[in-house]
Amino acid sequence: MVNADQLLARRLLAALASGGVEPFFQPIVSLDDGHVLGFEVLARWHDPEQGFIGPDQFIPIADRFGLLDRLLDQLMRAAFSAAADWPHNIFLGFNVSPTQPRNPELATRIAKAAIDSSFPLSRVHIEVTENGFIDDLTQPRCTLDRLINLGCMIAMDDFGTGYSSLTWLSTLPFSKLKIDASFVMAMEDHRQSRKIVDAVVGLGHSLGLAVVAEGVETAGQADLLRGMGCKLAQGYLFGRPTPAHQVPNALRQFASARQNGGLSAPMSLEVRADRLDEDYAPGTAVALMDPAGTVVASSKAFDRTMDANGAEVAGRHIWDLIGVTPETMAQLRATDLLDEPFPAFDGSAADGSTVQVHIRPVKDESSELVGYSVEYRDISNPAGLAS
Ligand code: C2E
Ligand code: CA
Ligand code: CA
């Protein structure tokens, strides 16, 4: 006999096949000036018989019947196609249930959906809830590392609601932390919640993460968050989830300095790589890497600093070259999202001397991240410091 859940799963399967599930988009904004940085993509299912069915009802069913990957695939393809004409700096955040990163194919599927739609993976953010990461973290960690390697950013969703938030935070490569709406919504009435939000904002920033407050509904909450130094927010105060066709209109309503450059021709990393010698002082040890960390071009001085024989480093991954770990890459993405400089750190040159490593985002005319410059400065020779 077919039970109610099975019936729902069958209907969901049919809806997925016929495009009955569509992505809605909710803005994530800067609390400083209100401009839109990106959208969270939320699944909406309209069933011809039952009408609107909310994700809280069908996501657990999709999970149980193994339909989540298909759902994600559909949402991504629809969202990428809708976003093709939106400003180039806008990111899209997709929800991934904790069971999904256990599948070794997940990263490949995400990459394929983005590549098929020519949507840059650096604009794909993946939100994972901590609820459910109970057992072995080996495969999830591997999947998330691969996604970072491809250029995606990983966010921890619903922070504070799971069993071991702090354990996951320290073991998995997150760049962004989303404070659960329940704390944010209770903030104005409950001192405890206000203290918790304040502490989480501080914790996130001290770990180098971008912090987003969810469920912001009132101007009072937004003011409190600003006072705590929280930079990013999402909630009905700024916009409800809307279908794709309403997004351009919604974007127009947000006065955004960043949108102004949205139509100019982007300058690719390749073009910048060609101009490496013109853009930097002679003898500067500098390399350009793509958002995922693969070196696209390097100066001779950089090659020499890496390898006494001066072998070319282009094509190699920055993780293999210097002490840049997936965590550093994740932090890099967070500081970039917040428009903050990434702190310099010490590395060692091929000859054993200590060098200071400066990593900076490289953006095109429409503020889209095209990669990073990595510059080595010899700290034993202050005269050689390039500005
Ligand atoms: P979430 O990831 O925490 O998403 C935020 C939820 O809060 C959304 O509910 C959004 O509509 C709602 N929300 C946003 N701002 C406010 C606000 O100011 N006040 C209130 N009261 N609510 C607000 P939604 O769309 O019903 O989604 C519920 C959950 O379902 C999501 O929570 C997410 O965990 C899950 N979900 C949605 N789409 C997907 C998906 O495509 N895949 C997976 N795996 N999960 C999804
Ligand atoms: Ca989410
Ligand atoms: Ca959430």
Side-chain angles (χ1 to χ4, degrees), residues 111-146:
K112 192 162 183 320
I115 291 162
D116 287 350
S117 314
S118 304
F119 193 87
L121 280 153
S122 58
R123 289 167 57 197
V124 175
H125 294 194
I126 300 293
E127 301 190 358
V128 203
T129 40
E130 47 175 340
N131 289 300
F133 273 142
I134 299 170
D135 50 7
D136 187 9
L137 281 182
T138 317
Q139 183 55 49
R141 164 90 220 200
C142 207
T143 302
L144 298 185
D145 280 348
R146 268 206 69 204

Side-chain angles (χ1 to χ4, degrees), residues 187-188 190-199 224 228:
M187 238 178 10
E188 283 175 301
H190 299 278
R191 192 168 155 270
Q192 289 305 69
S193 301
R194 202 158 55 238
K195 291 266 173 200
I196 290 174
V197 174
D198 193 25
L224 279 172
M228 294 169 184

